[in-house]
């Protein structure tokens, strides 16, 4: 039964936390007041939440493999599609390890969803991304490759037709069914955005956890344009005249397509980009991405055609804080290399940036917690020695991103909104006038013992909908139990009531605050191991 209960939260300026279950306002750090309620609960890991043109919330359930519409006022749920039969492996997360040998669930499951801009006016298309097969399903044990070679899943990108009267999705059409997947770093966010006036479908693929945990010995292909791992991909919304079934979905002008081979890669050098959003700021449209860093340096990037975002050669800014280190580490001495991982040891981030080329490489527009080299060295050394396999470090684990362009909340226009998994909060970062960078401090809202997975914004900008994980751990190997949370598997609605103002600098001009610092010691902000 849907929980109709309104629950309070008191959001203090300092801690931003809500804990009570009595209806009351929340107060944000700039004086904004919100109310909050549960729209729907008991969902099976809601992954995507999108505000549709039908004034309903569209959601995917990562482990339930269902696509639904929710009435945002009543929480009434209509299941449009159940993909359970398309999942060619069991619910490993529910099967005891003694029975299935410890086989892992893929990170995510049914993940990204994108609605065609003309969904209700002639092009009733819904695009979905999900894991459909596991190479180790029929193997003994956990089914992963020996010598930590990886746990290999395969992903599908599919277009469905929406039938409003029947309230179902039908007529599946495969865009691609060979995208590599894993139990870690699948990314999986979808976005429809225009390029030179024409809409395309973008899809984030992570580096599949190569170089860490059960994938320690798995090669990292984020820098290999011949692989879809560690990339943002671009597809057509409708097939072109190409002869090959799957080539029809790949734009012929993609940056790495050649006469010999179509290539869906749009940008490369990504680690785990779980957030993807498009917005027009000061007349120019841009794609923004949020991305998980390893031991620090979660990134916000502007994704551009053919550009390289550095992973695993540059982590966060090219500030040399990872010099002599790597993006992963293990205590398994049988894996060669200084840090016992397939991640390369970084001699110099600045030199790597030069080698990638100024025309190709892009720094993030913001890097969370760009920790010092000394602190990072201590963390990696502890893990390598086996002294501490899970030391504390500072990170946010951004799960999604949205660009707030509305005037509904004073002072919020042209801000990035980033929900987090590890720290359980919504972060707002004001953009500069051109939309090419962050101009202020991070502002924190709605902090709780919650893993926020995604967010959607109502057309008037006055309601924010945040999806909350239902799992106590992630599908990846590094999750933790957010003990005390009673809102797992929920869609929460935060409604703006009053207040809010933009900051002003000494000259009286409106700004977002101070410029972000380029370094911070890990000891300044203690945190548990990341939850991706």
């Amino acid at each position: 039964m849907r929980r109709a209960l309104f629950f309070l939260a008191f959001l203090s300026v300092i801690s931003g936390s809500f804990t009570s279950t009595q209806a009351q306002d929340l107060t944000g750090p700039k004086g904004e007041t919100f109310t909050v309620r549960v729209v729907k609960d008991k969902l099976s890991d809601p992954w995507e939440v999108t505000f549709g043109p039908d004034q309903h919330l569209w959601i995917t359930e990562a482990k339930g493999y269902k696509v639904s519409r929710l009435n945002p006022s009543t929480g009434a749920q209509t299941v449009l599609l159940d993909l359970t039969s398309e999942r060619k492996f069991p619910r490993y997360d529910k099967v005891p390890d003694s029975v299935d040998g410890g086989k892992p669930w893929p990170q995510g499951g049914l993940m990204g969803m994108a609605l065609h801009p003309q969904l209700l006016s002639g092009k009733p298309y819904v695009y979905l991304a999900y894991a459909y097969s596991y190479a180790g399903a029929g193997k003994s044990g956990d089914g992963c490759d020996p010598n930590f070679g990886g746990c290999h899943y395969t992903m599908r990108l599919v277009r469905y037709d929406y039938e409003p009267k029947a309230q179902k999705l039908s007529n599946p059409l495969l865009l691609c069914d060979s995208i590599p997947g894993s139990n870690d770093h699948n990314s999986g966010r979808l976005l429809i955005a225009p390029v030179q006036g024409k809409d395309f479908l973008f899809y984030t693929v992570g580096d599949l956890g190569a170089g860490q945990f059960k994938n320690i010995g798995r090669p990292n292909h984020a820098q290999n344009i011949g692989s879809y791992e560690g990339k943002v991909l671009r597809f057509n919304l409708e097939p072109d005249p190409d002869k090959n079934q799957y080539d029809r979905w790949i734009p012929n002008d993609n940056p790495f397509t050649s006469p010999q081979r179509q290539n869906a890669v749009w940008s490369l050098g990504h680690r785990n980009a779980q957030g993807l959003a498009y917005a027009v700021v000061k007349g120019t449209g841009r794609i923004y991405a949020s991305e998980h860093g390893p031991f620090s340096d979660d990134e916000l990037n502007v994704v551009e055609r053919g550009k390289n975002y550095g992973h695993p050669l540059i982590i966060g800014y090219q500030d040399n804080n990872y010099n002599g280190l790597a993006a992963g580490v293990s205590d398994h001495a049988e894996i060669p290399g200084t840090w016992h991982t397939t991640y390369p040891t970084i001699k110099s981030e600045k030199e790597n940036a030069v080698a990638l080329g100024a025309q190709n490489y892009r720094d993030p527009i913001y890097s969370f917690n760009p920790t010092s080299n000394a602190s990072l060295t201590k963390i990696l050394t502890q893990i390598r020695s086996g002294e501490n396999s899970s030391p504390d470090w500072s990170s946010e684990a951004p799960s999604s991103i949205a660009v707030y362009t509305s005037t509904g909340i004073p002072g919020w226009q042209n801000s990035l909104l980033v929900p987090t998994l590890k720290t359980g909060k919504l972060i707002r970062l004001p953009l500069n006038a051109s939309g090419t960078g962050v101009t202020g401090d991070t502002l924190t809202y709605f902090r709780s013992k919650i893993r926020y997975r995604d967010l959607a914004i109502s057309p008037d900008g006055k309601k924010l909908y945040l999806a909350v994980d239902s799992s106590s751990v992630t599908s990846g190997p590094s999750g933790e139990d957010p003990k005390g949370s009673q809102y797992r598997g929920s869609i929460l609605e935060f409604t703006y009531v009053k207040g809010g103002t933009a900051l002003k600098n000494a000259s009286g001009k409106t700004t977002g605050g101070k410029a972000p610092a380029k370094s911070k010691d890990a000891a300044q902000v203690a945190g548990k191991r990341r939850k991706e």
Side-chain angles (χ1 to χ4, degrees):
M1 180 181 295
R2 182 181 66 88
R3 180 185 291 123
L5 173 70
F6 279 76
F7 68 93
L8 151 79
F10 173 73
L11 180 61
S12 73
V13 172
I14 297 176
S15 68
S17 64
F18 64 87
T19 56
S20 175
T21 57
Q22 301 299 315
Q24 191 175 336
D25 293 341
L26 295 85
T27 304
K30 306 310 297 177
E32 312 95 328
T33 301
F34 298 85
T35 58
V36 57
R37 71 182 178 96
V38 178
V39 175
K40 183 70 179 178
D41 65 356
K42 298 181 175 62
L43 297 168
S44 182
D45 283 284
W47 181 275
E48 179 87 28
V49 57
T50 297
F51 202 100
D54 55 358
Q55 305 304 303
H56 279 62
L57 297 174
W58 289 60
I59 65 168
T60 64
E61 295 178 73
K63 293 184 178 177
Y65 270 64
K66 293 178 181 177
V67 181
S68 299
R69 290 171 70 243
L70 295 182
N71 184 316
S73 299
T74 67
Q77 180 180 10
T78 302
V79 176
L80 304 175
L81 179 67
D82 187 336
L83 282 166
T84 301
S85 63
E86 298 299 315
R87 172 172 49 81
K88 307 304 180 185
F89 51 89
R91 280 290 302 268
Y92 291 133
D93 60 311
K94 290 189 172 183
V95 180
D97 288 350
S98 59
V99 174
D100 70 6
K103 290 181 173 61
W105 181 260
Q107 188 174 75
L110 169 57
M111 298 180 295
M113 173 176 59
L115 309 181
H116 196 286
Q118 297 172 253
L119 180 75
L120 303 180
S121 55
K123 295 187 184 296
Y125 305 136
V126 177
Y127 304 83
L128 299 170
Y130 63 92
Y132 77 95
S133 71
Y134 178 46
K139 298 179 181 179
S140 60
D142 62 11
C144 302
D145 286 357
N147 302 316
F148 305 100
C151 308
H152 296 267
Y153 279 86
T154 308
M155 319 299 292
R156 270 183 179 160
L157 185 57
V158 188
R159 191 186 79 179
Y160 280 83
D161 292 346
Y162 172 49
E163 299 182 33
K165 290 184 179 180
Q167 284 296 285
K168 68 178 182 179
L169 297 180
S170 62
N171 191 29
L173 199 58
L174 275 174
L175 279 69
C176 187
D177 67 350
S178 59
I179 297 170
S182 175
N183 67 314
D184 200 12
H185 290 193
N186 282 332
S187 294
R189 198 64 69 184
L190 291 179
L191 170 73
I192 293 175
V195 176
Q196 296 180 344
K198 181 180 178 181
D199 285 330
F200 294 91
L201 180 67
F202 294 86
Y203 176 27
T204 64
V205 182
D207 71 352
L208 311 186
Q212 66 175 16
F213 304 110
K214 287 189 175 182
N215 298 279
I216 297 166
R218 182 176 190 154
N220 189 292
H221 295 300
Q223 290 293 319
N224 177 5
I225 62 172
S227 168
Y228 285 170
E229 300 173 23
K231 309 296 191 299
V232 174
L233 310 180
R234 185 178 74 149
F235 293 91
N236 291 320
L237 293 183
E238 298 180 62
D240 64 27
D242 290 348
K243 293 182 179 181
N244 183 279
Q245 174 186 352
Y246 297 111
D247 286 351
R248 296 171 186 170
W249 294 100
I250 299 177
N252 293 325
D253 62 346
N254 268 3
F256 302 106
T257 284
S258 68
Q260 292 75 36
R261 182 171 182 261
Q262 296 274 59
N263 192 327
V265 172
W266 180 252
S267 62
L268 67 154
H270 299 282
R271 184 174 183 267
N272 189 19
Q274 291 190 4
L276 204 57
Y278 173 83
V280 176
V281 178
K282 203 175 182 179
T284 301
R286 293 182 177 84
I287 294 175
Y288 298 88
S290 63
E291 188 160 345
H292 293 249
F295 308 101
S296 67
D297 292 273
D298 296 322
E299 297 181 5
L300 302 182
N301 288 297
V302 174
V303 178
E304 301 177 59
R305 170 191 172 89
K307 301 309 180 186
N308 192 325
Y309 294 83
H311 181 70
L313 306 175
I314 304 160
I315 311 301
Y317 304 120
Q318 49 170 313
D319 55 6
N320 284 339
N321 65 332
Y322 272 78
N323 286 6
L325 307 175
V329 61
S330 80
D331 60 356
H332 294 279
E334 66 271 30
I335 304 296
T338 303
W339 300 104
H340 307 317
T341 173
T342 54
Y343 282 118
T345 297
I346 299 170
K347 178 184 176 183
S348 168
E349 289 186 301
K350 288 187 179 295
E351 289 180 9
N352 287 345
V354 171
L356 293 178
Q359 295 300 314
N360 299 317
Y361 172 70
R362 290 291 183 270
D363 247 5
I365 62 171
Y366 192 85
S367 183
F368 294 97
N369 305 306
T371 307
S372 70
N373 180 266
S375 293
L376 289 168
T377 300
K378 181 179 179 180
I379 291 168
L380 269 69
T381 300
Q382 286 179 334
I383 297 173
R384 181 180 60 182
S385 68
E387 170 192 347
N388 187 348
S389 62
S390 182
D392 290 347
W393 61 72
S394 304
S395 57
E396 302 291 347
S399 57
S400 185
I401 193 170
V403 188
Y404 190 93
T405 57
S406 171
T407 58
I409 305 176
W412 280 43
Q413 188 174 30
N414 294 342
S415 292
L416 298 178
L417 303 183
V418 181
T420 70
L421 297 169
K422 177 177 177 178
T423 52
K425 61 190 178 187
L426 179 69
I427 296 173
R428 180 167 74 87
L429 301 100
L431 288 166
N432 61 20
S434 63
T436 57
V438 170
T439 187
D441 292 333
T442 60
L443 301 170
T444 297
Y445 300 81
F446 317 145
R447 186 198 293 270
S448 186
K449 294 179 179 179
I450 279 176
R451 292 171 51 80
Y452 290 118
R453 176 58 64 178
D454 193 22
L455 81 160
I457 304 169
S458 64
D460 65 2
K462 295 187 177 182
K463 295 181 186 292
L464 307 176
Y465 296 92
L466 284 112
V468 178
D469 277 6
S470 52
S471 301
S472 60
V473 296
T474 69
S475 50
S478 54
E480 295 172 22
D481 186 349
K483 294 178 180 178
S485 172
Q486 57 182 306
Y487 303 113
R488 294 176 181 168
S490 298
I491 303 295
L492 306 182
E493 177 191 78
F494 296 87
T495 302
Y496 169 74
V497 178
K498 62 182 180 179
T501 181
L503 292 173
K504 290 187 177 181
N505 62 23
S507 66
K509 294 182 179 180
T510 299
T511 71
K514 298 180 295 183
K518 285 283 186 174
S519 64
K520 180 179 285 187
D521 194 284
Q524 292 177 334
V525 186
K528 297 287 186 179
R529 64 188 282 189
R530 44 182 320 101
K531 307 185 299 181
E532 299 172 351

